Amino acid sequence: MQRQSRDHFDASSIPDDLAPIATVLSGMLPGDWRSMRPLINRLKCVKCGLCWLYCPVQCVVEKPRWFEFDLAVCKGCGVCAQECPHRAIRMVEEMGR
């Protein structure tokens, strides 16, 4: 493969501190800044799995007869509550934080 005679752009024009936030890892989990959390009514849950399927962060944990949520990972978006056909999940305000 032949090399081009000149570079596509001048790499010296790229700043040294480009995206400095993305280079520092944070120890925060989504559960640390969430304002709403899911609460499941186990009597209404028929274990259809739609909450598990639609959860964008996969915080839904399968139990023998229902699903639960890993609240350390849950970001409180409410997609699970919106998708539940039996309305077994509702979003409640996060307390005590």
Side-chain angles (χ1 to χ4, degrees):
M1 177 184 245
Q2 280 188 321
R3 189 174 159 92
Q4 287 187 333
S5 60
R6 61 186 175 91
D7 290 332
H8 290 287
F9 63 93
D10 181 15
S12 66
S13 65
I14 300 173
D16 290 337
D17 63 348
L18 184 65
I21 295 172
T23 61
V24 179
L25 295 176
S26 171
M28 285 187 81
L29 292 171
D32 296 336
W33 50 262
R34 172 185 64 238
S35 63
M36 301 288 282
R37 65 180 175 87
L39 185 65
I40 190 161
N41 181 338
R42 293 179 181 167
L43 297 175
K44 289 183 176 181
C45 180
V46 297
K47 202 175 174 185
C48 65
L50 287 178
C51 56
W52 177 83
L53 182 66
Y54 283 101
C55 179
V57 293
Q58 292 299 298
C59 73
V60 182
V61 180
E62 185 177 11
K63 296 294 180 182
R65 297 184 67 198
W66 58 77
F67 288 98
E68 287 186 356
F69 302 95
D70 181 354
L71 295 178
V73 179
C74 175
K75 63 182 182 174
C77 65
V79 170
C80 56
Q82 290 177 352
E83 295 299 328
C84 180
H86 298 280
R87 300 293 174 236
I89 304 168
R90 63 185 178 102
M91 299 303 289
V92 296
E93 189 173 343
E94 192 71 69
M95 302 299 276
R97 287 189 175 252

